[in-house]
Every structure is written in C-alpha cells, then in structure tokens.
Amino acid sequence: MTAIRHTLQKDVFLPHDERLLGVVHVSKAGKKKKVSFLCAAASTEKPVQVSIVNVKKSDKGDTYKRRQTWELRELKLVDGRDDTKESPEFDLHFEKSYKWVASNVAEKSAFISCLWKLCQRYLIKKRPDFVNVNPQLLEEAVQVGELTRTLPQGGEDVVDEEYQVLTAQEEADLEKLISQCDFAVSNAEAFTEQLSKDLSMLDGANIHSIMASEEQVKNLMKLLEVSETEINRIEKRLERYEGLLEGVREQMEQMKGKDTLIQMQNTNYKKLLSTLDTLVGQLDLSPGHVKALQEGDLSNPSHILDCTSAAEALQQAMGVQLHPGLCKMQAVREQQKMFEKLRSSFARRLAAHLNSVFVQQGHEMSETLSHHALEPTLPKHYSAHRDLMPYAELMLWLKGADITSFHQLAQVYTSNLKRLYEREIKDFFEAAKAILGTKPSAVDSKKFGKLMGSTESLGKSSGSKMRSSSLLDIADHKGSNPDITDRAKFERVLNSIMSELEPVCMVEQDFIIKFFHLSSDSTATDVGSDEEDQIEEGVVDADGGMFSKGHTERQTEKQVSSEVRRMMSDLFGTMEPELHNFINFADKMDPYNSMYMLVKISAVVMGMEEKDAGSYLATTLATSVVIVKRNFDKLIQAKIQSIEEIKVPKNKRCGILPFVSSFEEFAELAETIFKGSERRADLDKAYGRMVRTIFDNVERVGLEHQKTPQDVVLFENYHHLNDDHASTALPKSTAMSV
C-alpha cells in the first residue's frame, strides 16, 4: 500500500500541487470488480482546499487517471453501514449516494478516520454526519487531532508518519555520551549499568533540587494555572477568528464562482448578439424589394429589373440554412411566413402577366405570306422574342419558387404559339406547292414509264454533254425544256424551304432554352420513333443509307434535352407532316425530284449535326431523309423494272436500245445533282444495279431479235455505254462494269 501511495502522490496529485492524506482500495457495490482508489487530498497552497478523488487505473499500462472529484464541503453523510461488526462496505453521500466496498476493514477504518480528522480541521460549519461508525474510531481520531493542533505548522504530517529521524543535536549528544565510556561498544551491559547509576544520581539530585525549590514550584504552578486560563481565552478567540476566516473563505469562493458565471454570461451575450446580427442580416428584405414585389409594374422594363433584383433577394433570404433552434423563434417564423406570402403573391402576379402576354402574342397576326412570290417565306418572330427576354430571369426564379405555375406558363406558351406556327407553316408549304404548280395530276403511269425508258423523255439533246452543278444552270443551258425548267424551279423552291425552316426553328429553340432555362444533355435522348432511333444509331443504311455509326461517334457538340425537344414538337407539330406531304407531292410531280431532295436535305442535316446535334429540326429532317431515300430507291427500282419489261419490235432493225439512251440521260442528271455530295455512295450503288440490269437485258434483246445479229446489238450498245461513261465521268466501279 505504501508503494501505491507513493505512485499516486507522484503521478496524480503532485502535478496538481496536492498532497495525499488518505487512500482506500475500493470497488463499487453490486457491480463487477472494477478496482479504483478513493483518495483524500489537500492543496499545498493556502487557503487549503480538501477534496475526495476517485482514481482509476488505466486498462493499458500502469498509469492512474482521475475519474471523479468532489470537494470536502460537498460531503453530506458518511455511512459505515454497521458499527457492531466489521464490514468493508461504506457509503458516501454527496449530491448522489455512492456505495463502496473496501479491500479490507482496516483500510476502510483508516480512510473514515482520515475523513473525520479533515472535517474537524477544515470544516467549521456544515460538517457531514458520521453514522454507523465505531465511536472508538472517532475518539482516537479526536485525540490525534488535538495532538496535531498543538504542533507547529510543520507538524501536520506527524499523524501520517511512523518514523522520526534524530536531529543533529540529538545525534551529537549521543556520540558525546558514547565517547565518555571506552567500553560502551565492547561491553553493552556495563555501559547500561553505568547509565543506570548516572540516571539514579541525577534523579536524586533532581528530587533534592525540587524539594529545595518548593516555593518556586508553587509559584510555577500558579503561573501554569494563569497560563492555562490565558491559553483557554486565546483558544476561544482563535476559534472565533477561525470561524470568521472560514466565513470569509466561503464568501470568497462564492465570489469566485459568481465571477466565473459573470464571464460566462458576458461570453454568451456576445455570442447571442453576433448570432442575432447574422440572423437579421440573412433574413432582412429591404422595403424597396418588398414594394417591387408587391407593386412593381411588370410591363415596364425598368420595373422588371427591380422585380428581378427583388425576387433574387427574396430567394436568397428564403434559401438561408438556419439552425433548427433558431427556426423555432417566433420572429423567424413570422419572417418566413411573410416571405412565403410575398413569394406566392408575386408568383401569381408574374404568372398572370406572362399568361396574358403569351395569349396576346398568339392572337397577333404575322405578316401575310405571298402565294404569288417567286420564293415562299416564313415570318420571323424576333420582335416577340425580344419583348419576352427581359422576363427570362424571372422565369428562372418562378421555376424554383412555383414549379407548377412554371409548367403551366410553358404549356400556355406552346398552346398559343402552336396555332400561330401551325397556320404559318401550313401557308408556307401551300405557297411552295402553288409556285410549283399542279404537275402531280398530269403525271400518270404511262408518262412515268416513258420517263424511265423512252428516247423521247428528258429532252432529246443527248448529244450535248452538260457539266453543271445546279439544275438552274441546266435550265439555262437547255432553254425552254419543260422538264428541266420545272426541276430548276423545284430546286429554287426547295432551297428556299430549307433556308427558311432552319433559322425559324433554331431561333425558336434557342429562345425556349434561354427563356425557360432548359438544360442540355451530353448525350442524345429518344426522338420518338423507331426510324429516328435507327438514324441516331447509324443503322439506316438498309433502308435509307443515312449515316454511318462512325459519324455518330464523331459528334462532339451538345445535344438538346428531351424537354426542349418536347416543347419544339408541340410548337412545330405541323412541320413534320407538312414536310412529308411536300416530299410526296414533289415525288408525284416528278420522281427525279427525290434525287435532289436526298442530296439537299442530307446536306442540311449533316451541317446541323456539326453545329447542333440532336436538335428538333435535325431530327425532323433526318426522318424526312429516310422517306426521300425510299422514294429514290423506288425510282431506281422502277427504272430497273422498265428495263426488264421493255420489248423491241422484231420486224425492225435494232439500234441503240431506249433504256441505254435513258441511262445516259439519267446519269447526266444524277452526276449534276450528286456532284460533291456525301450521298454519292447511294448513287454509285444505284449505278451498279442499273448497269448489271442493262447488261443482262442487252444480251437478252440480242438473243431475241431476229433482224439484227447478237454481236452487232452488243457492240453498238456497249460502245454507246462506253462513250457515255467517258463523257459523264462515271465512277471507276461503273466503268469496270461497262
């Protein structure tokens, strides 16, 4: 136990300038044996502070740590549990009751005795009660306490010490005594006998001296009695002074505690003031902003800017993240309710104003299309977009504040503008058809067959080899040939259609993206039809030969989101069927128009894929390319069928076969149209099919003809095809076939 006391004093109490006075090895009653030490310690500085400390040994290593500390004045009761029999159990009552079990009864008794002495010495008032404790133990503690009280200041540790070291004076006297007797070391009995004789002589002399000074003894006794009386008087005064000092000490401790509380209170006040300043700054909305939200004129451009600034300030104030405790404050709840009312009222006012603006724009008449103009035109809505753009930031605010009103406004915009675009697009395509005329009604199956295989079709100037990149140039070269003139007119109308559709659709798409703040996706989304999915995946070659998959993988530009595409589809829902109707109209008017539509529309789509992949117009035109490609395939199949079905009169000499001349004219026109086009592969594929069919049927006619030998038929027609290849610069694959 001595070693443990030394370790506890060194490791636990010495760093805190405390002195260990008592210790007991304990564990808590009724629990597992978690061993700890109850220690009584006093501070080395004055005034002395006595405390009771629960020290626990660390699970790892031999270190000790303070677990719990109580001031001695907090002790209210010491319960020994039983004063008739020895028991290691005892209780200490502070604010709570703590039950302990000592390792043995001796340690328990020593610790309780130590507590009793400390309470008697340092607690003048409000001493704890000691119950169920052996009275003899307390009496011994009282006697030891009285003994220690008579000692000087340095004698406080006498009770705790078991060994006293000789002083230097005592050690010197002992050495002098031993040096006077030579046999003191060699003959201890003789030395002892000599000391006894000297002591007897000294006692006798002392008695004679006392008897001789009896009067002095009586005077001394009187002085001692007077001294005792004075000492008692001084002790009472000291006790009174000690009581006064104890009261002063308690008051100083209370003042120290109050000073700590005042400092803590000031710190809390500063924190509270800082928090309130921050809270007020975050939840403050200026009167100007409130007025703008309540009374701002949304038709005035300057007021629109004020409303936008106020709406952003309101959104920022409502978006502040507050501590849950602050949200329960009455002022905060009222401010948030005021913000909610402002937001809802302004959202309703903004939605009503924009709703009326959209309806008004939908009812306005655009400029009238001229059906007699040389080229059809689509009205531009730049002014309407310019009038709406100041509301773009407010629409973004509305999207976050009231998503339902935002979607309703988007629906109102599309429903009103849809009727306007529907009328304009329908008039636009009707004007285009009117410029082209009513040619489809005059085209019948006989003329189509004639167009496929007659030497009288497509003009009769097969000897003139044109090298033009435009049907307009062909019309100038051919003069008044009706077919060439109509095709040149169709080229001009188709160019106008493409040039008018692209700016109108792209401007409207850019506007709805900016105005309604619609995001753009990094990858394309579904376009709504199987054919369009095939186009995006690059697998249309089997039917339309649109794009390769490699080209799709090379796209790096942004692609519009499905929400943008949905709005564009609502606005321009009429454009796709009207465009398909125009394609069918043009194909019925002249099947050769499918070649130019294939080249022109494909070029437009490819150009748009580089600038704005996945846009609504690009997707719509891509589906149109599929239809045009099918019409082109029908044209090639019809020509092949006309070649296979041709019958040459057997009673006349066979010369250049009609389908050979027709192929020459077809190749001349096709080379002009497909020159420099990325759809050249489609034409080369058609060339291969047609040339193989021509070869097979030239041999067939040579075998069937009765007037002309087969070799002559083959020589004349093959020679004509070879000249045609040289003059029209057919591709190498076709030349090899020829």
Side-chain angles (χ1 to χ4, degrees):
M1 194 65 178
T2 305
I4 294 177
R5 285 175 64 95
H6 177 72
T7 303
L8 291 174
Q9 173 65 33
K10 178 180 178 182
D11 296 345
V12 179
F13 298 101
L14 187 60
H16 294 83
D17 295 330
E18 292 178 331
R19 183 161 46 90
L20 180 62
L21 301 178
V23 61
V24 58
H25 197 207
V26 298
S27 61
K28 286 190 176 182
K31 293 188 177 181
K32 296 181 180 179
K33 295 294 182 179
K34 292 186 178 180
V35 179
S36 59
F37 298 93
L38 273 181
C39 304
S43 63
T44 57
E45 297 179 355
K46 294 186 178 181
V48 178
Q49 299 288 333
V50 182
S51 58
I52 301 173
V53 184
N54 183 13
V55 179
K56 180 182 178 183
K57 187 176 182 181
S58 176
D59 295 336
K60 297 180 180 179
D62 295 333
T63 60
Y64 296 89
K65 297 187 299 183
R66 288 173 177 257
R67 186 174 182 182
Q68 204 166 4
T69 303
W70 304 273
E71 295 292 336
L72 182 63
R73 65 175 180 271
E74 297 178 9
L75 183 62
K76 298 179 179 180
L77 177 67
V78 178
D79 188 357
R81 302 293 291 273
D82 195 345
D83 58 347
T84 59
K85 64 179 181 178
E86 295 182 348
S87 172
E89 298 180 359
F90 66 97
D91 299 341
L92 299 181
H93 293 258
F94 298 97
E95 291 295 332
K96 295 171 56 178
S97 177
Y98 296 90
K99 300 180 183 297
W100 307 97
V101 179
S103 59
N104 54 66
V105 178
E107 289 187 9
K108 166 193 168 182
S109 300
F111 186 72
I112 292 177
S113 176
C114 180
L115 292 180
W116 171 267
K117 289 184 290 183
L118 293 174
C119 291
Q120 296 300 317
R121 181 173 180 80
Y122 295 104
L123 297 180
I124 305 301
K125 300 177 180 179
K126 299 181 180 178
R127 291 173 179 171
D129 297 329
F130 285 76
V131 297
N132 299 325
V133 179
N134 191 346
Q136 184 180 358
L137 181 63
L138 300 181
E139 290 176 359
E140 293 177 356
V142 170
Q143 295 175 0
V144 175
E146 292 177 351
L147 176 63
T148 57
R149 187 171 297 178
T150 61
L151 293 176
Q153 185 66 24
E156 293 180 355
D157 296 335
V158 173
V159 179
D160 299 325
E161 296 180 359
E162 299 176 357
Y163 172 73
Q164 297 292 331
V165 181
L166 291 176
T167 63
Q169 182 64 37
E170 291 173 346
E171 187 176 355
D173 293 340
L174 183 60
E175 289 179 354
K176 182 179 179 181
L177 179 63
I178 293 175
S179 63
Q180 292 176 357
C181 300
D182 296 335
F183 54 85
V185 177
S186 59
N187 192 349
E189 293 180 358
F191 179 65
T192 303
E193 185 178 354
Q194 180 65 33
L195 290 177
S196 298
K197 290 179 180 181
D198 293 343
L199 182 60
S200 298
M201 293 175 62
L202 291 175
D203 287 340
N206 192 21
I207 291 172
H208 288 295
S209 175
I210 292 173
M211 293 177 66
S213 56
E214 183 177 359
E215 187 66 27
Q216 295 179 357
V217 170
K218 291 180 179 180
N219 294 333
L220 179 61
M221 293 299 294
K222 291 179 180 179
L223 290 174
L224 289 176
E225 290 177 357
V226 173
S227 299
E228 184 179 2
T229 304
E230 188 68 21
I231 288 173
N232 291 333
R233 186 177 64 81
I234 292 173
E235 282 186 353
K236 291 180 180 180
R237 182 175 294 180
L238 288 175
E239 288 180 357
R240 185 166 60 85
Y241 288 163
E242 188 175 0
L244 294 175
L245 290 175
E246 181 67 21
V248 171
R249 185 177 66 83
E250 291 181 356
Q251 291 178 1
M252 292 299 295
E253 290 180 355
Q254 292 178 0
M255 291 177 63
K256 183 179 179 180
K258 289 182 179 179
D259 183 64
T260 303
L261 291 176
I262 291 173
Q263 292 180 357
M264 186 181 299
Q265 189 176 24
N266 290 336
T267 303
N268 291 336
Y269 282 157
K270 291 179 181 179
K271 290 183 178 180
L272 178 60
L273 182 61
S274 176
T275 302
L276 290 178
D277 288 341
T278 304
L279 180 63
V280 171
Q282 291 175 339
L283 298 182
D284 184 40
L285 192 64
S286 66
H289 287 161
V290 175
K291 183 177 180 181
L293 292 174
Q294 293 177 343
E295 304 175 3
D297 186 5
L298 293 174
S299 59
N300 189 324
S302 61
H303 288 190
I304 292 175
L305 294 177
D306 295 339
C307 291
T308 302
S309 176
E312 291 175 352
L314 176 62
Q315 184 177 10
Q316 183 178 2
M318 297 187 68
V320 174
Q321 297 295 330
L322 298 178
H323 190 275
L326 296 178
C327 295
K328 296 180 180 180
M329 296 176 62
Q330 182 67 24
V332 173
R333 290 201 298 266
E334 292 178 357
Q335 189 76 354
Q336 289 177 342
K337 288 180 181 179
M338 189 266 286
F339 287 162
E340 288 288 346
K341 291 180 180 179
L342 276 178
R343 183 175 68 175
S344 59
S345 63
F346 182 69
R348 288 194 300 270
R349 197 160 65 89
L350 176 62
H353 178 76
L354 290 177
N355 186 80
S356 63
V357 172
F358 294 158
V359 173
Q360 182 180 359
Q361 285 189 352
H363 288 306
E364 289 179 353
M365 296 297 293
S366 63
E367 60 263 32
T368 305
L369 289 171
S370 176
H371 293 268
H372 303 288
L374 185 61
E375 296 179 1
T377 58
L378 267 176
K380 308 299 187 296
H381 299 158
Y382 300 127
S383 59
H385 294 164
R386 184 176 61 252
D387 294 340
L388 289 176
M389 279 310 295
Y391 299 98
E393 293 301 322
L394 288 176
M395 285 297 293
L396 177 61
W397 175 85
L398 185 63
K399 188 175 183 180
D402 190 353
I403 190 65
T404 303
S405 298
F406 176 83
H407 288 310
Q408 289 176 353
L409 281 177
Q411 184 64 31
V412 171
Y413 178 83
T414 54
S415 62
N416 283 276
L417 271 294
K418 175 182 179 181
R419 292 191 292 269
L420 180 61
Y421 277 120
E422 182 177 353
R423 184 177 66 254
E424 291 175 351
I425 291 173
K426 187 173 182 180
D427 293 344
F428 174 72
F429 280 104
E430 289 297 329
K433 293 177 184 178
I435 293 173
L436 293 177
T438 57
K439 186 68 175 290
S441 60
V443 177
D444 53 14
S445 59
K446 293 182 179 180
K447 182 169 183 182
F448 186 75
K450 181 179 180 182
L451 198 61
M452 295 298 117
S454 174
T455 57
E456 297 177 358
S457 65
L458 200 60
K460 299 182 180 180
S461 56
S462 59
S464 300
K465 308 302 180 183
M466 296 172 292
R467 292 293 174 264
S468 174
S469 61
S470 173
L471 291 177
L472 297 174
D473 296 336
I474 297 176
D476 295 338
H477 184 79
K478 289 286 186 177
S480 60
N481 189 307
D483 291 336
I484 298 300
T485 302
D486 291 342
R487 290 168 188 164
K489 183 191 297 184
F490 176 76
E491 176 188 8
R492 183 175 63 253
V493 171
L494 184 60
N495 287 338
S496 299
I497 292 175
M498 294 295 106
S499 62
E500 291 291 324
L501 287 178
E502 182 174 0
V504 170
C505 290
M506 297 309 297
V507 167
E508 183 64 35
Q509 178 173 294
D510 292 340
F511 170 75
I512 63 175
I513 289 175
K514 294 177 181 178
F515 186 76
F516 291 99
H517 300 275
L518 305 178
S519 60
S520 297
D521 298 334
S522 58
T523 57
T525 53
D526 296 338
V527 296
S529 68
D530 295 339
E531 292 178 349
E532 292 167 353
D533 292 338
Q534 291 175 345
I535 291 168
E536 292 188 1
E537 293 296 329
V539 294
V540 187
D541 264 345
D543 192 29
M546 179 57 193
F547 305 112
S548 64
K549 192 174 182 64
H551 175 75
T552 304
E553 293 174 350
R554 289 193 299 270
Q555 295 175 358
T556 57
E557 298 295 330
K558 68 176 183 178
Q559 297 191 354
V560 297
S561 65
S562 58
E563 190 174 3
V564 177
R565 194 173 296 137
R566 179 187 58 77
M567 287 193 67
M568 289 294 293
S569 178
D570 292 341
L571 288 172
F572 295 93
T574 312
M575 186 175 69
E576 184 172 357
E578 288 293 335
L579 183 58
H580 292 174
N581 290 337
F582 178 79
I583 291 172
N584 294 329
F585 173 84
D587 186 67
K588 291 179 182 179
M589 185 175 183
D590 186 353
Y592 280 89
N593 289 338
S594 61
M595 291 193 295
Y596 190 77
M597 287 190 291
L598 179 64
V599 172
K600 181 62 180 178
I601 300 178
S602 298
V604 173
V605 174
M606 295 293 287
M608 295 187 66
E609 288 291 328
E610 296 177 357
K611 295 185 297 183
D612 196 355
S615 65
Y616 172 76
L617 181 60
T619 305
T620 302
L621 293 179
T623 58
S624 301
V625 170
V626 176
I627 298 175
V628 173
K629 179 60 170 59
R630 290 175 180 173
N631 292 339
F632 175 74
D633 291 340
K634 291 179 183 178
L635 170 65
I636 301 303
Q637 184 61 36
K639 288 188 69 65
I640 292 174
Q641 184 177 357
S642 67
I643 294 172
E644 293 174 346
E645 294 176 354
I646 192 171
K647 294 182 180 180
V648 181
K650 299 180 180 180
N651 54 357
K652 293 183 180 180
R653 180 181 176 277
C654 181
I656 303 300
L657 295 175
F659 56 78
V660 174
S661 300
S662 176
F663 176 74
E664 176 186 2
E665 298 167 0
F666 171 80
E668 179 183 359
L669 180 62
E671 288 296 319
T672 301
I673 295 174
F674 282 85
K675 184 177 181 180
S677 173
E678 296 188 8
R679 304 309 298 253
R680 179 72 198 197
D682 298 322
L683 180 61
D684 293 342
K685 189 185 297 184
Y687 278 157
R689 294 176 59 197
M690 293 179 66
V691 169
R692 284 193 296 272
T693 304
I694 289 174
F695 284 180
D696 294 341
N697 284 275
V698 168
E699 293 180 0
R700 176 181 63 80
V701 172
L703 289 174
E704 294 178 354
H705 206 279
Q706 298 177 357
K707 295 292 184 179
T708 306
Q710 180 181 5
D711 293 338
V712 175
V713 174
L714 295 178
F715 177 78
E716 288 182 349
N717 286 276
Y718 288 167
H719 180 70
H720 190 81
L721 287 173
N722 186 63
D723 289 344
D724 180 56
H725 167 263
S727 61
T728 57
L730 294 177
K732 186 175 180 180
S733 59
T734 307
M736 292 177 64
S737 300
V738 175

